[in-house]
Amino acid sequence: MADQKHVVIVGAGFGGVHLAKELAKENVQITLVDRHNYHLFQPLLYQVSTAVLSASEIAYPTRAFFRNNNNVNFFMAKATGVDQGRRVLLTDHGEISYDYLVLAAGGTTNFFGNESVARNSYGMKTLQEAIALRGHIVHEFERASKKTDPSHTEERLRHLNFVIVGGGATGIEMAGAIVELIDVFKKEFHTIDFSEVHVTLLEAMGSVLPMVPPDLQQHTIDVLRKKGVDVRLNTAVTAYDGNDLVLKDGEIIPTKTVIWAAGVRAQDFIKDCGGEVDRAGRVIVEENLLVKGSDCVFAIGDCANFQHGTERPLPTVAPVATQEAMQVKTNIMALIAGKTPDQLGKFVYHDLGAMATIGRGEAVMNGPMPVLGFNIKASGFFAWFAWMLVHLIRLAGRYADFTVSVKWIWNFFFGTRLARIIHSKLE
Amino acid sequence: MADQKHVVIVGAGFGGVHLAKELAKENVQITLVDRHNYHLFQPLLYQVSTAVLSASEIAYPTRAFFRNNNNVNFFMAKATGVDQGRRVLLTDHGEISYDYLVLAAGGTTNFFGNESVARNSYGMKTLQEAIALRGHIVHEFERASKKTDPSHTEERLRHLNFVIVGGGATGIEMAGAIVELIDVFKKEFHTIDFSEVHVTLLEAMGSVLPMVPPDLQQHTIDVLRKKGVDVRLNTAVTAYDGNDLVLKDGEIIPTKTVIWAAGVRAQDFIKDCGGEVDRAGRVIVEENLLVKGSDCVFAIGDCANFQHGTERPLPTVAPVATQEAMQVKTNIMALIAGKTPDQLGKFVYHDLGAMATIGRGEAVMNGPMPVLGFNIKASGFFAWFAWMLVHLIRLAGRYADFTVSVKWIWNFFFGTRLARIIHSKLE
């Protein structure tokens, strides 16, 4: 046991948990560090924000993955940096020495330095944000329902105006889900005139969903518009004070709710890990996934910038992180076996395609589907069904929690939302 | 419509919702006021504290009860008092005029004026408390797991010491559930020595569960002790600073966790409703459930003191509230029909018996069971099965949420707890 190497992994997301699970089979000691005690099934976070699922259905206690792995130790702490000279990870609960370190810390919302927006809008990355957003949306309807007097019309409209910024998968899925949540409210807020409720999706570029072909992009926009979402392209945001959202062309949208789904960047401490970072704070990695300039610190997933043979860095999606995890495992075992960094295997990403749901019964999917053995492009109910199947299988494989399946199917048939609880205190 | 009477109900608990549902069938206008947007299934709150169920499984959006009742308006606000002279309910969102008012505001934790205990221990009455307690318990294990050094032993033991105060149903159920939660942790905290973990139940009186006969009380104590709970009777608490719990005899129990299940009192504003209140802040009601001295303000459930022909005020349990609700409905309709207060029907409580679970597969029950037609006294698996059945039926009737059943059965067979999420930020 004394000669066991110690691998420290920062982050219990898709990449970190997968890597720890794989390394647990080997004769190494593993410490998995995360500031939360749970692993988050990030792709479904928007369903917590819109009351489809409750928090514990997409958040799984990290320790539960490692019940039978005595060589895995979980350490709940916030990483603050790396001292590569002394080979220690710095955390708010002290230092942790490592032989090999893997940064798998994931991402956070990128407000691109816009402080007024950062302060007043809702991000879509953490469970806390999702729970707060869910409470806020419900609360806005409660507030509007009290302002029935004609003199309150301006205020009431502001409460009933919901703006989503960003036309990527997260923004699209959020827009679709919020429309369905409003359909539930229609049955329950007897005194609200629902023609006063507005959902707007703003996208700075010329189209939505950059990862699918133009016809699917247009289909997505058509479906959202049919659902009543005001989709506005080429529309950038400049400021938001919590009451008025200012667009680049000077237009003002009065709203109490701005949901920011327009960008991802690495956690702050990544810049303090001794590597070189890009504009989004991600650390540059070599083809073997070692942090540039290091011989024992790796980085994977949303906090790593891997750009070798591709036009842009690899996208911030789960398959990139889990595939990188497998390569890092191979490379760490090779280093332990005596190989040198230049002898390590190079990472090659296998694109699994992209899919996004636009609400109940509607989705788009595109890309090589290695499971099926051919290229596929689809929309509508079939794509939605495939989306649901893929996510249920992934969730089930992870948590063996079939109450989620039950709730999804229930929700599909009855369109109800039972998680509409305002946790926060009444203002 | 103009001559419709306006009934205002304060509180969306068992009594308030039941009454609103019943009155909705009549030609009256109803406003239901609550500071939360959900109805809480209070008897299972301890299951949220111990991660068996998640919040949204026992909290149901109040508006959802009244989808088909256009004469019921929900108003989310905190009641602050009543001006009986002007016939208005005072709230933090303005005044509401009423023809008839029903106080059904429920109860809150009674710390009996002990401020140090109130400040530092966890109550068992609100969803916020339950979520905070759940996070705290898990967090204490995380903290203990980091303090492996022998010099930290005292601190570590303090983290691993859990004290429940109060031997009523809530305290008993909490003690049983926390022991089972610890069983789950045994599989996951590989570095903790579980002989260092202690659960203590303190009761100021000479026995637990006052509502069941002595042999069932003793059975309950025996079962808890067999599960490893240190049950201590005739033990009163005098102070708690968040680190050391001081007992009446001067003994000090070092602990970071005191769970207070030792008393219930009415919400503060009840004393400002123009009636006479008892020591627990409950308003005294006449036999017809009118607040003493009033001809149009009623009170039911945990905030009312009904003591007519009984030795003590009726207990603070759901059947009292719902039965009172039925009587109040009858009496309000009688007043509308022109009857005078002295002509109203008198409330008679039908005792449905008592039951409490002591953990998976163990419970005690006692009392007249009108459904079964005979008196019953039972313990062990049968009582537990009956307990589960009664609660599942009540929950299902209320929410039609069968995911709870699924989770319970799952939990029963596999003993797992999937809701162990620490919501709060890491300290």
Side-chain angles (χ1 to χ4, degrees):
Chain A
M1 296 294 267
D3 63 343
Q4 265 189 340
K5 293 294 183 184
H6 185 206
V7 182
V8 175
I9 302 169
V10 183
F14 288 109
V17 165
H18 195 65
L19 178 59
K21 255 327 221 188
E22 285 295 323
L23 278 172
K25 301 170 187 167
E26 308 293 335
N27 182 30
V28 292
Q29 195 63 37
I30 300 139
T31 299
L32 179 58
V33 180
D34 198 291
R35 71 208 153 112
H36 297 302
N37 80 321
Y38 52 83
H39 164 81
L40 188 66
F41 195 85
Q42 190 94 43
L44 293 182
L45 191 60
Y46 79 95
Q47 299 210 351
V48 171
S49 313
T50 52
V52 182
L53 297 175
S54 58
S56 59
E57 281 160 338
I58 62 156
Y60 192 74
T62 302
R63 288 180 181 273
F65 289 111
F66 306 104
R67 285 205 179 138
N68 303 316
N69 304 119
N70 278 314
N71 59 340
V72 178
N73 188 28
F74 177 70
F75 192 85
M76 187 170 160
K78 192 175 150 89
T80 55
V82 177
D83 185 337
Q84 289 206 23
R86 293 191 296 127
R87 291 203 173 193
V88 291
L89 172 72
L90 312 172
T91 83
D92 62 346
H93 281 82
E95 300 180 353
I96 306 172
S97 304
Y98 61 82
D99 293 308
Y100 302 99
L101 176 70
V102 184
L103 302 171
T108 183
T109 308
N110 195 348
F111 293 101
F112 304 104
N114 191 323
E115 286 193 18
S116 72
V117 173
R119 212 171 23 246
N120 298 301
S121 67
Y122 287 86
M124 295 281 297
K125 294 298 286 180
T126 71
L127 199 55
Q128 285 72 23
E129 285 171 330
I131 292 168
L133 176 53
R134 177 184 72 189
H136 172 76
I137 294 171
V138 182
H139 218 148
E140 286 302 287
F141 278 85
E142 292 294 351
R143 291 186 181 105
S145 76
K146 289 183 192 128
K147 296 185 175 154
T148 46
D149 195 86
S151 70
H152 291 146
T153 301
E154 194 186 316
E155 234 181 313
R156 191 173 65 245
L157 290 173
R158 186 173 265 119
H159 286 301
L160 296 175
N161 213 358
F162 300 90
V163 180
I164 298 145
V165 182
T170 305
I172 296 297
E173 295 183 327
M174 187 66 201
I178 208 170
V179 166
E180 288 178 4
L181 180 58
I182 290 167
D183 280 341
V184 174
F185 289 155
K186 281 181 185 163
K187 300 178 198 147
E188 297 180 5
F189 286 85
H190 307 309
T191 57
I192 286 181
D193 170 4
F194 278 81
S195 71
E196 293 187 341
V197 180
H198 294 285
V199 179
T200 306
L201 179 77
L202 306 179
E203 166 56 51
M205 299 290 125
S207 191
V208 299
L209 297 181
M211 68 290 195
V212 305
D215 58 334
L216 288 187
Q217 294 177 341
Q218 191 54 48
H219 175 76
T220 303
I221 293 170
D222 292 345
V223 170
L224 283 177
R225 285 188 175 149
K226 222 176 115 193
K227 282 172 180 280
V229 178
D230 182 10
V231 181
R232 297 168 68 172
L233 307 173
N234 300 307
T235 306
V237 160
T238 58
Y240 180 53
D241 64 357
N243 281 302
D244 292 307
L245 180 65
V246 184
L247 306 184
K248 205 176 173 183
D249 64 4
E251 187 187 337
I252 286 172
I253 302 180
T255 178
K256 285 282 188 186
T257 312
V258 171
I259 302 162
W260 191 260
V264 178
R265 63 177 178 86
Q267 301 285 347
D268 268 339
F269 82 94
I270 292 294
K271 71 176 188 313
D272 302 318
C273 293
E276 182 189 326
V277 298
D278 68 10
R279 280 199 312 168
R282 291 176 295 186
V283 64
I284 313 285
V285 293
E286 305 283 7
E287 278 180 280
N288 55 20
L289 294 166
L290 274 168
V291 167
K292 213 172 145 184
S294 169
D295 59 358
C296 60
V297 180
F298 295 85
I300 62 176
D302 294 5
C303 73
N305 174 325
F306 183 96
Q307 189 173 5
H308 300 280
T310 52
E311 205 180 312
R312 306 203 305 169
L314 291 180
T316 55
V317 296
V320 170
T322 50
Q323 290 179 31
E324 287 175 339
M326 289 309 294
Q327 186 66 54
V328 164
K329 183 211 169 174
T330 306
N331 289 357
I332 286 177
M333 295 319 293
L335 288 174
I336 291 175
K339 292 261 170 70
T340 55
D342 57 294
Q343 293 173 308
L344 296 181
K346 293 172 181 176
F347 175 66
V348 180
Y349 176 54
H350 298 284
D351 190 355
L352 297 175
M355 57 201 335
T357 173
I358 327 171
R360 213 141 43 100
E362 258 294 350
V364 289
M365 61 193 290
N366 177 63
M369 294 277 156
V371 187
L372 301 172
F374 54 88
N375 217 66
I376 203 162
K377 197 177 87 172
S379 64
F381 188 83
F382 170 77
W384 177 80
F385 194 78
W387 177 88
M388 184 142 127
L389 215 62
V390 166
H391 282 81
L392 275 181
I393 290 169
R394 284 171 68 192
L395 257 185
R398 208 158 275 271
Y399 313 141
D401 183 358
F402 60 94
T403 62
V404 175
S405 339
V406 170
K407 197 167 281 189
W408 273 12
I409 293 162
W410 184 261
N411 178 49
F412 176 62
F413 285 110
F414 299 100
T416 179
R417 304 286 173 103
L418 292 176
R420 283 169 286 127
I421 304 307
I422 304 177
H423 275 199
S424 61
K425 296 241 157 66
L426 182 65
E427 285 153 39
Chain B
M1 295 295 269
D3 63 343
Q4 265 191 338
K5 293 293 183 185
H6 185 206
V7 182
V8 175
I9 303 169
V10 182
F14 289 110
V17 166
H18 195 65
L19 178 58
K21 254 329 221 186
E22 285 296 323
L23 279 173
K25 300 170 187 167
E26 308 293 335
N27 182 29
V28 292
Q29 195 63 36
I30 300 140
T31 298
L32 179 57
V33 180
D34 199 292
R35 70 206 153 113
H36 298 299
N37 80 321
Y38 50 84
H39 164 79
L40 188 66
F41 195 86
Q42 190 96 39
L44 293 182
L45 191 61
Y46 78 95
Q47 298 211 352
V48 171
S49 314
T50 53
V52 181
L53 297 175
S54 58
S56 58
E57 281 159 341
I58 63 157
Y60 192 75
T62 302
R63 288 181 182 272
F65 289 111
F66 305 104
R67 285 204 180 136
N68 303 317
N69 304 119
N70 277 313
N71 58 339
V72 179
N73 187 29
F74 177 71
F75 192 85
M76 187 169 160
K78 192 174 150 92
T80 55
V82 177
D83 185 336
Q84 290 205 23
R86 293 192 297 127
R87 291 204 172 192
V88 290
L89 173 72
L90 312 173
T91 82
D92 61 347
H93 280 82
E95 301 181 353
I96 306 172
S97 304
Y98 61 82
D99 294 307
Y100 303 99
L101 176 70
V102 184
L103 302 171
T108 184
T109 308
N110 195 347
F111 292 102
F112 303 104
N114 191 322
E115 286 195 17
S116 72
V117 172
R119 211 170 24 244
N120 299 301
S121 67
Y122 288 85
M124 294 281 297
K125 291 300 285 180
T126 69
L127 198 57
Q128 285 73 23
E129 285 172 329
I131 291 170
L133 176 53
R134 177 184 72 190
H136 173 77
I137 294 172
V138 182
H139 218 148
E140 286 303 286
F141 278 85
E142 292 293 351
R143 291 186 181 107
S145 76
K146 289 184 191 127
K147 296 186 175 155
T148 46
D149 194 86
S151 70
H152 292 145
T153 301
E154 195 186 314
E155 232 181 315
R156 192 172 64 245
L157 289 174
R158 187 172 265 119
H159 287 301
L160 297 175
N161 213 357
F162 300 89
V163 180
I164 298 144
V165 182
T170 306
I172 297 297
E173 295 183 325
M174 188 66 200
I178 208 169
V179 166
E180 289 178 3
L181 180 58
I182 290 167
D183 281 340
V184 173
F185 289 156
K186 281 182 185 162
K187 299 178 198 149
E188 296 180 4
F189 285 85
H190 306 310
T191 59
I192 286 181
D193 171 5
F194 277 82
S195 71
E196 293 187 341
V197 180
H198 294 287
V199 179
T200 305
L201 178 77
L202 306 180
E203 167 56 51
M205 300 291 124
S207 191
V208 300
L209 296 180
M211 69 288 197
V212 305
D215 58 335
L216 287 187
Q217 294 177 343
Q218 192 55 48
H219 175 76
T220 303
I221 294 169
D222 292 345
V223 170
L224 283 177
R225 285 189 175 148
K226 222 177 115 193
K227 283 173 179 280
V229 178
D230 183 10
V231 181
R232 297 168 69 173
L233 306 173
N234 300 307
T235 305
V237 161
T238 57
Y240 179 53
D241 65 357
N243 282 303
D244 292 307
L245 180 65
V246 184
L247 305 184
K248 205 176 174 184
D249 65 3
E251 187 189 336
I252 285 171
I253 302 179
T255 177
K256 285 282 189 186
T257 312
V258 172
I259 301 161
W260 191 261
V264 179
R265 63 175 178 86
Q267 302 285 348
D268 269 338
F269 82 94
I270 292 293
K271 72 176 186 315
D272 302 318
C273 293
E276 183 189 328
V277 298
D278 67 10
R279 280 201 312 167
R282 290 175 296 185
V283 65
I284 315 284
V285 293
E286 305 284 6
E287 281 181 278
N288 55 19
L289 295 166
L290 273 169
V291 168
K292 214 172 145 184
S294 170
D295 59 359
C296 59
V297 179
F298 295 85
I300 61 175
D302 295 4
C303 72
N305 176 326
F306 183 97
Q307 190 173 5
H308 300 280
T310 53
E311 204 180 313
R312 306 202 306 168
L314 292 180
T316 54
V317 296
V320 171
T322 51
Q323 289 178 32
E324 287 175 339
M326 287 310 293
Q327 187 65 56
V328 165
K329 182 208 167 176
T330 306
N331 289 357
I332 285 177
M333 295 320 293
L335 289 175
I336 291 174
K339 293 262 170 68
T340 56
D342 58 294
Q343 295 173 306
L344 296 181
K346 294 174 181 176
F347 176 65
V348 180
Y349 176 54
H350 298 283
D351 190 355
L352 296 175
M355 53 199 339
T357 174
I358 328 171
R360 213 139 44 101
E362 259 294 351
V364 291
M365 62 193 289
N366 178 65
M369 295 277 157
V371 187
L372 300 172
F374 54 88
N375 216 67
I376 203 161
K377 195 178 88 172
S379 62
F381 188 83
F382 170 76
W384 178 81
F385 193 78
W387 177 87
M388 185 141 128
L389 216 60
V390 165
H391 283 81
L392 275 181
I393 289 169
R394 284 172 67 194
L395 256 186
R398 209 157 274 272
Y399 312 141
D401 184 356
F402 61 93
T403 63
V404 175
S405 339
V406 170
K407 197 167 279 189
W408 272 11
I409 294 163
W410 183 262
N411 178 50
F412 176 62
F413 284 111
F414 299 99
T416 180
R417 304 286 175 103
L418 291 176
R420 283 170 286 127
I421 304 308
I422 304 177
H423 275 197
S424 60
K425 294 242 158 62
L426 181 67
E427 286 152 40

